[in-house]
Amino acid sequence: MEKDKEQLIEAYFAGELSAEAQQQLEWLLAHDTAFEEEFRFEKEIRDAVIYNERQQLKARFRMLDKQAAKPTRKLATWWYAAASILVLIGVAWFFFDRQPTVDSEKLYAQYMEPYPNVVAPRVRGSLEVDQVMAEALANYDKQAYAEAAALFEQLYKEAPSNHAALYLAVCRLLLDQPEQAIRLLENEDWADTQVSLPVIDWYLGLAYLKAGDEGQARQYISQVAASGSDLAPRAEELAEKLEVLE
């Protein structure tokens, strides 16, 4: 394929197409069979890599939550997870190492994922509290974040808990309210909790990135990168991109 067509495809996936280039791309997709096949092939590869990255990130969150509740784990399981992460990063790097530098908004969009639902409401003497948590999580799972946020906020006021604070902060972040997410995450006491501290630092870093404070974002993401947790490789990758962020 001609070099200018390859550059056109790369510009599309980098989000840098001009209106004129977009028209050219659409024309080629409609009239150039070879170009259309190459474009579809590239898109399928990238979609697969992004999907696998997101699935791996969700798995790491779940492992971190289990680690906080049960600090001791079998060494073989740890090595299996680490090897899987390294393979995934290698594949992702192979396909994306030639991409141009992106801004903070694009980095945020690339790395932001909702914290998975790892909470099963348990009876704590208040059936109403459990019902509110169950309803909040149901809305959260179906991406109705405004409704979920209202319920998590009610729950956090009536029966404060770390999980309520975390899910509320993530909802605020997904609703483009990073300042509120930052206040929640920084004001909550996470010292004695089942939520892994690298998870908190990860979302604080993303919240500051969303808010446009790249210096604070680097600080928190670097802490995650140095934590030795399952999120560390992902954070190290983001930290490197933040260092060269224009």
Side-chain angles (χ1 to χ4, degrees):
M1 179 178 292
E2 297 91 334
K3 186 174 181 180
D4 59 340
K5 291 182 180 179
E6 292 179 356
Q7 292 174 342
L8 190 64
I9 291 176
E10 289 188 4
Y12 170 83
F13 287 109
E16 297 179 345
L17 281 182
S18 63
E20 181 180 355
Q22 179 67 35
Q23 291 178 354
Q24 181 184 2
L25 176 73
E26 292 174 358
W27 188 93
L28 285 169
L29 287 173
H31 298 88
D32 189 327
T33 303
F35 179 85
E36 192 270 343
E37 289 178 355
E38 182 66 20
F39 178 86
R40 300 301 176 195
F41 177 73
E42 184 75 10
K43 186 175 186 302
E44 288 175 3
I45 291 176
R46 291 168 185 264
D47 287 347
V49 170
I50 291 172
Y51 174 80
N52 286 334
E53 278 190 318
R54 289 181 175 178
Q55 292 300 108
Q56 190 66 43
L57 180 59
K58 289 180 180 179
R60 287 200 294 272
F61 279 140
R62 290 189 176 94
M63 284 190 289
L64 282 168
D65 198 72
K66 290 178 181 178
Q67 283 179 332
K70 299 178 180 180
T72 59
R73 302 181 64 197
K74 292 183 179 180
L75 185 59
T77 302
W78 186 94
W79 276 110
Y80 179 83
S84 299
I85 293 168
L86 289 173
V87 169
L88 179 61
I89 291 173
V91 172
W93 179 256
F94 176 79
F95 287 108
F96 292 113
D97 64 345
R98 292 183 296 173
Q99 293 299 312
T101 302
V102 295
D103 59 24
S104 57
E105 278 291 327
K106 290 180 180 178
L107 279 180
Y108 169 82
Q110 180 182 350
Y111 285 88
M112 177 59 191
E113 279 291 321
Y115 187 69
N117 178 1
V118 296
V119 177
R122 291 171 294 180
V123 176
R124 291 164 298 206
S126 173
L127 182 59
E128 182 179 354
V129 168
D130 289 335
Q131 290 175 336
V132 173
M133 174 63 84
E135 186 178 353
L137 289 171
N139 280 287
Y140 184 86
D141 286 339
K142 65 182 182 182
Q143 300 181 6
Y145 297 119
E147 293 84 351
L151 292 168
F152 282 128
E153 187 165 13
Q154 174 189 339
L155 190 62
Y156 187 63
K157 289 179 179 178
E158 296 177 359
S161 70
N162 290 133
H163 275 118
L166 175 58
Y167 284 113
L168 177 56
V170 173
C171 285
R172 293 301 181 202
L173 195 48
L174 291 164
L175 293 169
D176 295 329
Q177 299 167 345
E179 291 82 6
Q180 294 186 36
I182 290 169
R183 283 197 295 271
L184 273 164
L185 293 172
E186 289 190 332
N187 292 337
E188 184 73 8
D189 182 9
W190 303 101
D192 185 19
T193 175
Q194 290 188 349
V195 179
S196 172
L197 292 180
V199 169
I200 305 306
D201 288 341
W202 174 258
Y203 281 111
L204 272 168
L206 290 175
Y208 274 111
L209 186 60
K210 179 67 174 177
D213 191 336
E214 295 160 11
Q216 283 289 90
R218 289 190 191 96
Q219 176 182 330
Y220 282 108
I221 296 300
S222 295
Q223 287 176 191
V224 181
S227 68
S229 70
D230 291 312
L231 274 175
R234 181 84 165 164
E236 185 175 354
E237 176 186 307
L238 177 54
E240 290 177 358
K241 294 181 181 180
L242 286 171
E243 287 298 327
V244 296
L245 192 63
E246 296 178 354

